[in-house]
Amino acid sequence: MLRRLRAVSPFQVVLITLFTGLALFMSLPIVFIFNHAFKPQNELFLFPPRFFVRHPTLHNFETLFLHASNATVPFTRYLFNSLIVVSLTLISVVVVSTMAAYVLAKYEFHFKQLIMSLITLSLMFAPETVSIPRYLVINGIGLNNTYLGHILPSLASPVAVFMLVGFISQIPRDLMEAARIDGAGHFGIFVRMILPLSVPAIATISILTFQGVWGDVETSTLFMQKETMRTLAFYVNSLLSGLQNNVAGQNMAAAAGLLIFIPNLIIFLLFQRRVLETMVHSGIK
């Protein structure tokens, strides 16, 4: 241990100190969200505001769940819808995107460059620009008030395909040829070779997809007319918008904000190492 400490140069000490300070600074919003959710009503409106809570309480969450239990649709229904939609969308996006990226990265066919150009072009469009076309498609095929209506708009993910194409392109063709010699078919190569080697990229697109779907309110707003088919993000968003000028409801808003944030934090902490592997293109040694 002492030898390792002696081997650290002064420049490395400075870098470690700077990055540690930067990490602590960037974690302040997370610390504030947790503290803010447990503040009692009198601490929420103190001036100057306090960063840390002095008298933590669970009353904010009790008020939130009590408010939800008095509603027409229970809180658990929104949560159930969100879990179903996020799970099915995540699985569907990973399967469809990896299969599309595998074909685009490793096979030659007509109009391949055109397809890649269209995928790249689609990255330039903001989600708001395709809201009306999405509504016309979902409404036209009768998927309103269905779980598939939640999933279908997110199924085509240009970001996921673009990222996976770049990652899968690094896999040597010699490995695929060796697998073919051993008798593996296209599906066998995809399942036994491409998927395991693409785990870092798959973890990255899983994080991006989860964050996008978990916090999405567009599908519930546009495609779902039944309240029982809407998600937790829609409920929290409608709750927060209704409490913007309501002083008595700010404790519920603080608790709801934390509930929406926690799953994103957990998913990121679980897969952050895989994200770094994707960024430095270290999937193949």
Side-chain angles (χ1 to χ4, degrees), residues 81-134:
N81 289 341
S82 289
L83 293 177
I84 290 295
V85 171
V86 168
S87 301
L88 295 179
T89 303
L90 192 59
I91 295 172
S92 302
V93 169
V94 169
V95 172
V96 172
S97 299
T98 48
M99 293 177 68
Y102 169 54
V103 174
L104 290 170
K106 293 302 182 183
Y107 293 94
E108 298 295 332
F109 52 90
H110 294 296
F111 306 113
K112 173 181 175 179
Q113 294 302 321
L114 176 61
I115 294 175
M116 285 298 301
S117 299
L118 291 175
I119 292 175
T120 305
L121 181 64
S122 63
L123 297 174
M124 301 171 58
F125 291 95
E128 293 77 12
T129 61
V130 296
S131 296
I132 295 177
R134 281 180 175 176

Side-chain angles (χ1 to χ4, degrees), residues 1-10 12-13 16:
M1 186 67 181
L2 292 176
R3 291 181 180 179
R4 292 182 179 179
L5 292 176
R6 292 173 183 174
V8 176
S9 65
Q12 291 176 323
V13 173
I16 293 173

